[in-house]
Amino acid sequence: MSGASPSARKIVAHASALAAALAQLPRPYVFTNGCFDILHRGHVTYLEEAAAFGNLIVGVNSDASVRRQNKGTDRPINPLEDRLAMLAALASVALVVPFEQDTPLELILRIRPDHLIKGGDWPVEKIVGAKETLGWGGQVHSIPFRHNRSTTQLLARIRAHSP
């Protein structure tokens, strides 16, 4: 894979490659997750703030997992491969890892992050994996939103202006 671009090398496409990718990444590990369907300023700002805690690993919902999140029948707009590539291209992101489940708990247990982070709409006690992360001595953070942006709002604006 030596010919792969720097951003492509950040994508852990198969769970079997996760341990080797983590071994190349110094701690502290920082983990967050989401659909990241249409990347926007809110996402980028949030990811930059999360990366300030250490090496940021982003769990990304698979296409099937996004469809199960009640975000609309036409979601995701962008397929998983595109969402992984966009996130991997960000300087703030160390690794991106897809997951099939409805929650990232299995991935969190495999990574054992030092910092578990979600956006400000998630109180710490409701963050999936918070109890486990605190149990092994990690910290859990809910980062306040700096910009009122969401993919759902963006899509509503686009659709309102469509013929």
Side-chain angles (χ1 to χ4, degrees):
M1 193 180 215
S2 61
S5 71
S7 61
R9 288 191 292 268
K10 293 182 182 181
I11 299 171
V12 179
H14 303 287
S16 60
L18 181 58
L22 289 172
Q24 299 299 311
L25 199 62
R27 285 194 174 267
Y29 296 160
V30 179
F31 181 84
T32 194
N33 69 282
C35 300
F36 301 99
D37 193 3
I38 297 178
L39 200 60
H40 55 70
R41 183 180 186 186
H43 288 138
V44 173
T45 303
Y46 160 75
L47 293 170
E48 286 176 337
E49 290 184 27
F53 289 94
N55 281 303
L56 180 59
I57 303 158
V58 181
V60 183
N61 294 76
S62 70
D63 293 346
S65 179
V66 171
R67 285 190 285 276
R68 293 190 302 268
Q69 303 299 316
N70 297 319
K71 292 182 175 285
T73 56
D74 60 346
R75 300 281 299 276
I77 300 296
N78 289 303
L80 177 64
E81 185 176 287
D82 291 357
R83 293 181 287 124
L84 293 171
M86 292 289 289
L87 289 164
L90 298 175
S92 59
V93 175
L95 291 176
V96 291
V97 186
F99 64 95
E100 291 289 336
Q101 300 78 12
D102 291 341
T103 75
L105 183 59
E106 183 180 314
L107 193 51
I108 291 166
L109 294 174
R110 292 183 71 201
I111 294 169
R112 295 180 63 92
D114 302 290
H115 298 274
L116 177 61
I117 299 179
K118 286 294 283 180
D121 55 338
W122 285 88
V124 168
E125 62 275 5
K126 299 266 188 192
I127 296 174
V128 171
K131 179 181 68 163
E132 293 81 1
T133 301
L134 293 168
W136 60 63
Q139 298 178 21
V140 181
H141 313 271
S142 180
I143 295 179
F145 291 137
R146 305 286 180 233
H147 306 283
N148 186 19
R149 305 285 189 280
S150 81
T151 300
T152 301
Q153 291 171 347
L154 182 59
L155 285 171
R157 284 188 25 233
I158 291 167
R159 289 176 177 137
H161 292 87
S162 296

